[in-house]
Amino acid sequence: MSQIPYKIYLTEEEMPKAWYNLRADMKNKPAPLLNPGTHEPMKPEELAGVFCEELVKQELDNTTPYFDIPEEILGFYKMYRPSPLVRAYCLEKKLGTPAKIYYKFEGNNTSGSHKLNSAIAQAYYAKKQGLKGVTTETGAGQWGTALSMACAYLGLDCKVYMVKVSYEQKPFRREVMRTYGASVTPSPSMETEVGKKILAEHPGTTGSLGCAISEAVEVATTTEGYRYVLGSVLSQVLLHQSIIGLETKAALDKYGIKPDMIIGCAGGGSNLGGLIAPFMGEKLRGEADYRIIAVEPASCPSLTRGKYAYDFCDTGMVCPLAKMYTLGCGFIPAPNHAGGLRYHGMSSVLSQLYDDGLMEATSVKQTDVFEAAETFARVEGILPAPESSHAIKVAIDEALKCKETGEEKTIVFGLTGTGYFDMVAYEKFHDGQMTDYIPTDEELQASFDKLPKMD
Ligand SMILES: *Cc1c(COP(=O)(O)O)cnc(C)c1O
């Protein structure tokens, strides 16, 4: 066996040519999306008013294991993929751990995160359908940036509703999106009916992903030639993000490495769902076993403290109902700095896997996350996104446990992006002004009480 390099790359021949649909191997399929009026499963023709046709097919397909990646998308992927799988030798040394730590780094593109993997796919299908443009929400701005890049590449119009707190905290993100030709509106806005309603009920709200989704959906469904696209949560997004896991697995297999645990941060669940896909597939088929750990912020703990129930995907209650671990669609988390992890619910694929005991979840405090981010930045050289740093924190904790027990475990974690636009958050941390708001049981209960009544 040759020496394992710092960075494992794949050759063009070794690159995945198809996305893997984890749902095909799940015995208990994720629960279907329901029509909010009738509580019947959403029909393709109902979804086609909101989403592109090809994406509706992918969304509803629980049986096809592989979807060929279209040539044009493979061509786009070549600009920034494969992403490296890095052996964190310096971090291991710093921690003094016998554990072997690897991270899959998705921050090597201008959008700064994994989100481009699905953005290009969704924009491609919109273009193929002959649409004029797409609308979307963005929280921290990574998804909006990724979608703007994909739309600019394909010549599609892009309207982004950006959660107000991020719009204000991250003005440079906004300008990157505008550089790529997108229009960016802070949400909630007075431009939509649902935005006006939310502002009337919650004056001065800093917004949430749920609000921004409602606005983007309203604009898509009332504007000719537009559809809505979503950067996470949906099963189609996890499908596209499987490229992360497929590359990771191919790189590990190349050197005969078998991970003991796979760790990822979880907002809506797309990077984690993508990273774990082929590994979870083996686990579901009984071919291998892995510990799989989802890490979420203590301020927005949907898996660890949420309810597994049907809920709206958005605050304005215009979207279909999805069965997921949720804090309630009216839950507006404290304005913490990991904006990309502030969603109230979790992918229904991951929710089902978690409910079936096939993966673990844990939540971590914001200040601990930034401490881990700083440790990582100083030894590995990469300035991590706060979202990604949730995974770093737990990877470090697990590596330190190995130090105590002397076990040489192999840890793989997803480093989803870079944190250059998060310097206000880093500043708060350095100045000792960062807080760790954790919702009380009473606050969560008040939100659960408003979950839709199912019969
Ligand atoms: C959006 C984002 C996340 C969280 O989204 P998921 O859909 O849960 O993957 C994590 N890290 C970064 C850098 C992000 O931009």
Side-chain angles (χ1 to χ4, degrees), residues 113-115 142 232 265-272 340-341 385 387-388 416-417:
S113 81
H114 65 284
K115 296 211 170 66
Q142 287 97 322
S232 183
C265 63
S270 75
N271 87 82
L272 180 67
L341 302 181
E387 292 89 346
S388 324
T416 50

Side-chain angles (χ1 to χ4, degrees), residues 23 33 55-62 234-237:
R23 288 168 285 167
L33 294 170
L55 294 167
V56 170
K57 280 191 207 146
Q58 294 180 357
E59 191 61 32
L60 298 177
D61 192 328
N62 283 341
L234 295 175
S235 302
Q236 56 183 276
V237 185

Side-chain angles (χ1 to χ4, degrees), residues 10 19 74 94 134 253 279 324 330 335 368 374 386 389 453:
L10 300 175
W19 293 304
L74 284 175
K94 164 85 183 167
V134 290
D253 286 350
F279 302 97
M324 54 187 176
D368 294 344
E374 204 172 74
S389 305
K453 304 273 173 294

